[in-house]
């Protein structure tokens, strides 16, 4: 009797392993899209992962602000800030708009070293993420504000100092 129970358990375990192996083999042979480091970070659920993803695709050598589509903006920014940035980039032909500097390095010229994206401080559907770096040997600190929009963390503002923010620059420009 004990050997029949043992044989039944062994057979069930063997069938389970075979079925699991077939599913694993099928999944392994399925075609996969080429991984994109920034997309991988964006799929993570943390606000600091979004900011890290931004700095992976927006480097001193390659700006997301020069894109011919707004898709890179929509990946990282909430609708309000993406709309403001896109409007500024596309409506000022022949003149400089609000973005007469790189808003992610707070400078027109830069030599970035020691960039560090800090941990997020979260409060419900809002978060802040500190970023520090050296630009021409001068220490800089920015604070990113993020909100959860449609289940994803999106950048809603960038703070440069106690009084200066990216949204503030857009609001000041709208008054003029």
């Amino acid at each position: 009797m004990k050997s029949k129970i043992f044989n039944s358990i062994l057979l069930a375990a063997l069938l389970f392993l075979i079925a699991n192996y077939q599913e694993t083999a099928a999944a392994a042979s399925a075609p996969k899209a080429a991984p994109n480091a920034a997309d991988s970070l964006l799929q993570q659920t943390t606000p600091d992962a979004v900011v890290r993803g931004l700095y992976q695709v927006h480097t001193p050598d390659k700006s997301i602000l020069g894109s011919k589509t707004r898709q890179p903006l929509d990946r990282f920014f909430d609708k309000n800030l993406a709309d403001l940035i896109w409007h500024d980039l596309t409506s000022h032909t022949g003149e400089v708009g609000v973005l007469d500097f790189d808003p992610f390095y707070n400078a027109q010229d830069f030599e970035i070293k020691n960039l560090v994206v800090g941990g997020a401080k979260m409060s419900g559907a809002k978060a802040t993420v500190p970023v520090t770096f050296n630009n021409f040997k001068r220490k800089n600190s920015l604070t990113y504000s993020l909100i959860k929009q449609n289940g994803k963390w999106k950048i809603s503002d960038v703070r440069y100092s106690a009084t200066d923010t990216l949204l503030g620059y857009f609001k000041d420009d709208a008054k003029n």
Side-chain angles (χ1 to χ4, degrees):
M1 179 75 150
K2 288 182 182 177
S3 73
K4 283 186 180 183
I5 293 173
F6 177 75
N7 287 341
S8 296
I9 292 172
L10 186 60
L11 180 61
L14 186 59
L15 289 173
F16 175 78
L17 289 173
I18 291 170
N20 193 32
Y21 173 77
Q22 289 174 339
E23 289 177 11
T24 303
S29 66
K32 294 181 176 84
N36 177 317
D39 287 337
S40 296
L41 284 171
L42 285 177
Q43 290 173 3
Q44 297 177 17
T45 58
T46 61
D48 47 314
V50 173
V51 176
R52 276 191 205 90
L54 172 66
Y55 280 105
Q56 283 190 344
V57 298
H58 182 84
T59 66
D61 299 323
K62 184 179 177 192
S63 173
I64 67 167
L65 300 176
S67 177
K68 293 181 181 176
T69 71
R70 65 176 279 152
Q71 187 270 342
L73 300 176
D74 292 329
R75 283 176 55 203
F76 294 101
F77 301 98
D78 74 342
K79 181 169 176 10
N80 180 52
L81 191 53
D83 287 347
L84 290 167
I85 294 170
W86 182 248
H87 177 76
D88 192 67
L89 295 174
T90 58
S91 65
H92 291 92
T93 53
E95 61 185 65
V96 177
V98 172
L99 297 177
D100 62 348
F101 69 109
D102 187 306
F104 316 119
Y105 297 115
N106 193 26
Q108 291 179 332
D109 300 311
F110 36 85
E111 185 180 282
I112 304 302
K113 305 271 189 212
N114 305 318
L115 184 123
V116 175
V117 176
K121 291 182 184 174
M122 297 172 39
S123 177
K126 294 183 178 185
T128 58
V129 176
V131 173
T132 59
F133 54 87
N134 293 330
N135 186 16
F136 293 110
K137 299 181 182 179
R138 185 174 156 252
K139 187 162 179 123
N140 288 271
S141 298
L142 309 179
T143 303
Y144 284 79
S145 296
L146 293 92
I147 60 169
K148 211 161 200 180
Q149 188 177 64
N150 300 322
K152 295 179 182 178
W153 287 104
K154 301 282 187 164
I155 298 166
S156 59
D157 201 3
V158 182
R159 178 167 295 284
Y160 305 108
S161 69
T163 58
D164 295 324
T165 69
L166 185 55
L167 275 180
Y169 293 155
F170 283 115
K171 288 177 184 175
D172 288 347
D173 185 65
K175 292 176 188 174
N176 297 330

